[in-house]
Amino acid sequence: MADSVHIQITRPVAQLVLDTTVCFPADSTILHLALPVVLEQSPETLLAVIEISAGGVVIFRDSMQAKVGAEHLCRAVTPVTG
C-alpha cells in the first residue's frame, strides 16, 4: 500500500515552483491536497510530476500540464479519509 506522494511543480524551462512530499496513512483510499503556488501571471501553465511511494519505493509516476489562474484558488481543504 502507498504511504506518501511526492509532487514537483515547474514552469517551462525547468523553473521549480514547488517540491513537496506528503505522508498519509497507508490504508487511505482517497487523498485531497491543496498546494500553495505563487503565479507569475494568471493564467499560467505549469507541469506537475507526481510520484506515489510505498515504503520509500516509487510505485506510480505520472505528469500532467495544468493551466491555473487566480480563479482556481482553493476555498476548502478536505482531509485524507480512510
Side-chain angles (χ1 to χ4, degrees), residues 12-33:
V13 194
Q15 180 187 3
L16 186 63
V17 176
L18 178 78
D19 186 352
T20 190
T21 300
V22 178
C23 296
F24 56 89
D27 62 350
S28 297
T29 59
I30 192 166
L31 179 66
H32 293 272
L33 298 174

Side-chain angles (χ1 to χ4, degrees), residues 2-72:
D3 57 15
S4 68
V5 61
H6 176 230
I7 301 164
Q8 279 191 326
I9 299 176
T10 57
R11 289 189 175 87
V13 194
Q15 180 187 3
L16 186 63
V17 176
L18 178 78
D19 186 352
T20 190
T21 300
V22 178
C23 296
F24 56 89
D27 62 350
S28 297
T29 59
I30 192 166
L31 179 66
H32 293 272
L33 298 174
L35 302 171
V37 175
V38 177
L39 300 177
E40 289 185 345
Q41 60 187 17
S42 183
E44 186 171 4
T45 301
L46 303 173
L47 174 67
V49 177
I50 302 157
E51 295 178 332
I52 299 175
S53 298
V57 177
V58 175
I59 59 173
F60 174 85
R61 185 177 196 271
D62 202 359
S63 63
M64 66 174 285
Q65 284 192 337
K67 189 173 187 177
V68 296
E71 65 276 8
H72 295 110

